[in-house]
Amino acid sequence: MIKAVIFDVDGTLAETEEVHRLAFNRAFSNAGLDWSWDQELYRRLLKVTGGKERIAHFLEISGKPPMEAEQIGALHKAKTAFYTRMVQGGEVSLRPGIAEFLDALRERGTKLAIATTTSLPNIEALLSSTLGAHWRDRFVAVAAGDMVERKKPAPDVYELALRLLELPAADCVAVEDSRNGILSAKGAGLRVIAVRSAYCAADDLGGADVVLEDCRGLTMEVLEGEANDALALRDAR
């Protein structure tokens, strides 16, 4: 029996990446930089996990003048402020099927957790906006990217979530939308349900135990592996 479900955030609980992209561009403009990340460029930059890491990678591939770590940190902090204001303004909602799945898990008594590369302020902004001020009561454990040494695809954030849950990987399932997320969860020994998302639609999700086209496919039957041979969760290797 599955005792806990661990959710990624960006692209999984909500389609946030376009708002992240716009927030980056607003931060760049506010800082007097002539950078503008279009959707195609941002899709490529998403292969690098972590906002500060993404900015540093952009500097490397674009030939722009280098920045000190403190400058990158300040730029990312400004981006986070833009993002949180946009989310709090109602520009992002949960993906169809997520609210119903969360409610079904709560009724079943399944523990909920988060394992994401995004920062705690971003999580707070999104979930307080979509689930209400007491969203934290729903989640037994919240593991964020700024709480671990290495971000996805390293397993660190999922290992932290498991420690906070005080459960072995065999009792848990991760829900992810990206190749890096699957690698991270698998590295921590978890089974994975993958849901395709807008910005990671072309990712190779073949390492997941189940691949769904959208979050409306998240059901108790899929979770327990009772639907059919094509959707049933395989035993963790």
Side-chain angles (χ1 to χ4, degrees):
M1 182 174 175
I2 302 302
K3 296 181 180 179
V5 177
I6 309 173
F7 291 89
D8 171 53
V9 173
D10 293 317
T12 302
L13 290 179
E15 291 280 16
T16 56
E17 296 299 1
E18 180 63 7
V19 179
H20 277 296
R21 183 184 73 86
L22 294 173
F24 273 113
N25 284 339
R26 291 181 187 182
F28 301 155
S29 177
N30 189 64
L33 299 167
D34 62 351
W35 309 351
S36 181
W37 291 355
D38 61 23
Q39 291 182 344
E40 182 55 35
L41 173 59
Y42 192 60
R43 186 170 283 107
R44 297 199 304 271
L45 291 173
L46 282 175
K47 303 300 181 185
V48 177
T49 54
K52 293 185 287 292
E53 292 83 354
R54 204 165 293 144
I55 294 171
H57 180 68
F58 170 72
L59 291 171
E60 291 178 9
I61 65 173
S62 66
K64 302 288 185 183
M67 282 185 169
E68 298 293 333
E70 293 78 7
Q71 293 175 289
I72 292 176
L75 190 58
H76 185 258
K77 183 177 180 180
K79 174 263 172 183
T80 297
F82 279 114
Y83 174 81
T84 55
R85 285 199 293 271
M86 294 165 75
V87 170
Q88 289 165 350
E91 295 191 35
V92 181
S93 58
L94 295 177
R95 292 185 64 178
I98 286 293
E100 294 83 356
F101 190 50
L102 293 178
D103 288 343
L105 290 170
R106 181 165 58 177
E107 289 180 12
R108 179 180 177 273
T110 304
K111 293 181 179 180
L112 302 181
I114 287 172
T116 177
T117 57
T118 202
S119 62
L120 283 171
N122 288 344
I123 300 169
E124 171 67 36
L126 175 66
L127 297 186
S128 62
S129 173
T130 55
L131 294 176
H134 300 291
W135 69 269
R136 191 63 175 80
D137 294 341
R138 290 176 175 249
F139 294 89
V140 175
V142 176
D146 46 5
M147 298 168 65
V148 294
E149 182 177 350
R150 301 177 300 167
K151 294 185 172 70
K152 298 175 185 179
D156 299 33
V157 75
Y158 275 105
E159 291 172 345
L160 174 59
L162 290 170
R163 290 197 298 272
L164 294 172
L165 284 166
E166 298 183 334
L167 288 172
D171 289 348
C172 307
V173 168
V175 182
E176 274 285 353
D177 76 308
S178 69
R179 177 68 174 167
N180 280 335
I182 292 169
L183 291 172
S184 177
K186 283 293 183 179
L190 289 155
R191 288 169 286 177
V192 182
I193 300 173
V195 289
R196 295 200 181 276
S197 63
Y199 265 92
C200 295
D203 273 22
D204 177 7
L205 306 182
D209 296 277
V210 173
V211 178
L212 302 172
E213 291 306 310
D214 58 55
C215 293
R216 284 169 291 201
L218 289 168
T219 64
M220 292 300 102
E221 289 77 18
V222 169
L223 183 67
E224 294 296 353
E226 295 171 356
N228 53 48
D229 290 341
L231 290 178
L233 287 173
R234 297 189 297 270
D235 290 338
R237 294 178 178 82

